[in-house]
């Protein structure tokens, strides 16, 4: 283990010791992870708990690829939310690597919260996930019925019973089962209370006001990809990757009028996909650029100039060399 490694705990994401002096007795801090089938509402729930957009959301499955942390600050504790891809049966090398990322995260966090959308019946995908989770012995597990705003009271009651039955069938002991609507802001605070109470006592791990530890380049790349996902065909989201080539404040600007220059490449797997992203005479790419620029500017608090290009990296999801190049 290197000197650098010893400065961090086993999770590799936060300083191992107190960074802000003594904390009040009973103060809790730790890590929780939302898991579930793709498009189960995990990213939306993360953003609702943090109170700010820290992970991208989309109605397309498998939009989350990187483990982005959202940080919830409370007087009684600090909750670090680890957002992971939806666990699924992989069909590509990328899929296998995303699943490995999920499984590794489960064993390193304090609490794993499984999300079950209330507007969908529990199915084989949920059973697969909970069976895999059952292999992780020491991590506390809770169940969350998400999207309760989309279900009737009768549907929700049946859904909660199904979650109980799934726990019994898989030998999974739920520490809590809680229905939540992130969109309707229903029981989000209650969920935060429950998660904090399940964390170990410990010091504050991140400074006050910090909402995520994701690098600004990673945030910009994700917001570009989110903009590119809007309105595309179902098979295309898996094929989109974004690489920030350069990101710097423009030189020579007055201090009170900064401008952030971002040069980025948006990669797809085939020429036909490139045409979809660019659109007729570049109209689609201009929309992507406009939406992404607004999102990045709002997130980072600085006006943005975005130079965006679309490139083809043939079958990159199945090519180890291309995956390394694109950061996977």
């Amino acid at each position: 283990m290197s000197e650098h490694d010893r400065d961090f705990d086993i999770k590799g994401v936060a300083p191992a010791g107190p960074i802000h002096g003594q904390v009040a007795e009973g103060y809790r801090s730790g890590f929780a992870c939302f898991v579930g089938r793709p498009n189960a509402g995990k990213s939306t729930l993360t953003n609702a708990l943090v109170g700010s957009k820290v992970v991208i959301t989309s109605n397309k499955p498998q939009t989350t690829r990187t483990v982005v942390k959202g940080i919830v600050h409370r007087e009684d504790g600090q909750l670090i939310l680890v957002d992971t891809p939806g666990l699924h049966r992989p069909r590509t090398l990328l899929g296998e690597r995303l699943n490995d990322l999920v499984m590794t995260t489960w064993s390193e966090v304090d609490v794993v919260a499984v999300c079950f959308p209330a507007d969908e019946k529990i199915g084989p995908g949920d059973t697969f996930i909970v069976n895999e989770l059952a292999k992780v012995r020491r991590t506390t597990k809770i169940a969350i019925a998400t999207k309760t705003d989309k279900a009737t009271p009768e549907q929700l009651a049946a859904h909660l019973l199904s979650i109980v039955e799934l726990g019994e069938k898989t030998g999974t002991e739920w520490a809590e089962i809680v229905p939540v609507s992130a969109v309707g802001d229903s029981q989000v605070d209650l969920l935060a209370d429950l998660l904090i109470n399940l964390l170990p006592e410990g010091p504050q791990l991140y400074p006050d006001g910090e909402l995520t530890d994701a690098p600004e380049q990673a945030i910009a790349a994700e917001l570009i990809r989110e903009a590119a996902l809007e309105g595309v065909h179902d098979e295309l989201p898996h094929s989109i990757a974004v690489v920030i080539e350069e990101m710097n404040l423009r030189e020579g600007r007055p201090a009170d009028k900064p401008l952030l220059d971002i040069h980025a490449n948006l990669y797809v797997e085939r020429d036909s996909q490139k045409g979809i992203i660019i659109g007729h005479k570049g109209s689609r790419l201009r929309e992507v650029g406009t939406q992404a620029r607004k999102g990045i500017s709002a997130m980072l608090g600085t006006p943005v100039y975005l130079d965006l290009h679309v490139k083809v990296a043939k079958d990159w999801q199945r090519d180890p060399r291309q995956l390394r190049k694109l950061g996977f």
Side-chain angles (χ1 to χ4, degrees):
M1 182 181 287
S2 69
E3 289 297 319
H4 174 77
D5 291 334
R6 277 196 290 269
D7 289 337
F8 290 79
D9 67 359
I10 60 169
K11 303 170 187 68
V13 294
I19 60 173
H20 293 288
Q22 298 299 314
V23 295
E25 185 177 349
Y27 189 90
R28 297 177 181 274
S29 61
F31 298 79
C33 171
F34 293 139
V35 301
R37 285 182 288 128
N39 207 23
K42 302 180 294 294
S43 297
T44 303
L45 192 53
T46 296
N47 291 335
L49 282 163
V50 174
S52 178
K53 185 171 183 174
V54 292
V55 292
I56 74 167
T57 58
S58 171
N59 60 0
K60 304 294 182 183
Q62 283 304 112
T63 53
T64 302
R65 289 185 182 156
T66 55
V67 181
V68 177
K69 273 72 68 178
I71 305 165
V72 181
H73 299 273
R74 303 247 306 218
E75 289 187 3
D76 57 343
Q78 189 175 73
L79 171 65
I80 296 95
L81 298 169
V82 183
D83 193 55
T84 62
L87 191 71
H88 63 298
R89 298 184 186 278
R91 293 179 293 180
T92 64
L93 181 58
L94 173 64
E96 292 175 8
R97 291 189 179 180
L98 293 177
N99 274 3
D100 288 343
L101 183 65
V102 176
M103 297 295 287
T104 300
T105 302
W106 287 358
S107 64
E108 294 180 341
V109 297
D110 300 295
V111 182
V112 175
V114 188
C115 296
F116 302 97
D119 61 336
E120 299 177 27
K121 290 186 178 181
I122 289 177
D126 299 299
T127 303
F128 169 71
I129 289 169
V130 178
N131 272 324
E132 292 298 307
L133 180 59
K135 300 173 185 177
V136 183
R137 296 295 181 186
R138 289 180 292 180
T139 304
T140 301
K141 306 167 184 73
I142 74 169
I144 304 174
T146 58
K147 306 184 181 183
T148 57
D149 55 296
K150 294 186 176 182
T152 65
E154 293 77 17
Q155 287 174 323
L156 180 57
H159 189 67
L160 294 173
L161 285 175
S162 296
I163 292 173
V164 173
E165 292 170 359
L166 180 59
E168 293 172 348
K169 184 171 72 171
T170 59
T172 301
E173 182 178 349
W174 303 120
E176 301 281 356
I177 300 176
V178 56
V180 170
S181 170
V183 174
D185 195 25
S186 173
Q187 303 215 116
V188 173
D189 288 340
L190 172 63
L191 176 61
D193 290 340
L194 295 174
L195 289 170
I196 289 284
N197 288 335
L198 291 171
L199 300 178
E201 290 193 10
Q204 184 176 345
L205 299 173
Y206 286 89
D208 290 333
E210 191 165 320
L211 300 181
T212 179
D213 70 353
E216 290 186 347
Q217 285 198 7
I219 293 172
E222 284 293 274
L223 289 171
I224 292 169
R225 194 161 68 91
E226 179 183 42
L229 285 171
E230 290 301 314
V232 299
H233 298 300
D234 290 340
E235 74 278 3
L236 191 53
H238 307 279
S239 303
I240 297 175
V242 176
V243 174
I244 304 295
E245 298 294 337
E246 189 177 349
M247 181 169 164
N248 294 297
L249 285 171
R250 184 172 297 184
E251 295 181 358
R253 300 275 298 189
D256 61 342
K257 293 184 178 180
L259 182 65
L260 186 63
D261 285 321
I262 301 176
H263 300 273
N265 290 328
L266 201 159
Y267 288 90
V268 292
E269 293 189 296
R270 298 188 295 276
D271 285 325
S272 59
Q273 295 171 339
K274 181 177 179 179
I276 293 171
I277 294 295
I278 293 175
H280 181 63
K281 294 184 178 180
S283 59
R284 173 97 183 91
L285 185 60
R286 284 193 294 274
E287 291 176 7
V288 170
T290 298
Q291 184 176 335
R293 179 173 50 77
K294 290 178 180 178
I296 297 167
S297 180
M299 180 73 81
L300 302 183
T302 305
V304 169
Y305 168 79
L306 178 60
D307 179 37
L308 189 59
H309 297 269
V310 182
K311 295 188 176 183
V312 176
K314 186 174 175 57
D315 294 329
W316 65 263
Q317 292 185 80
R318 295 171 174 81
D319 184 340
R321 184 179 61 83
Q322 297 273 29
L323 281 171
R324 284 194 298 273
K325 177 183 176 182
L326 298 177
F328 297 104

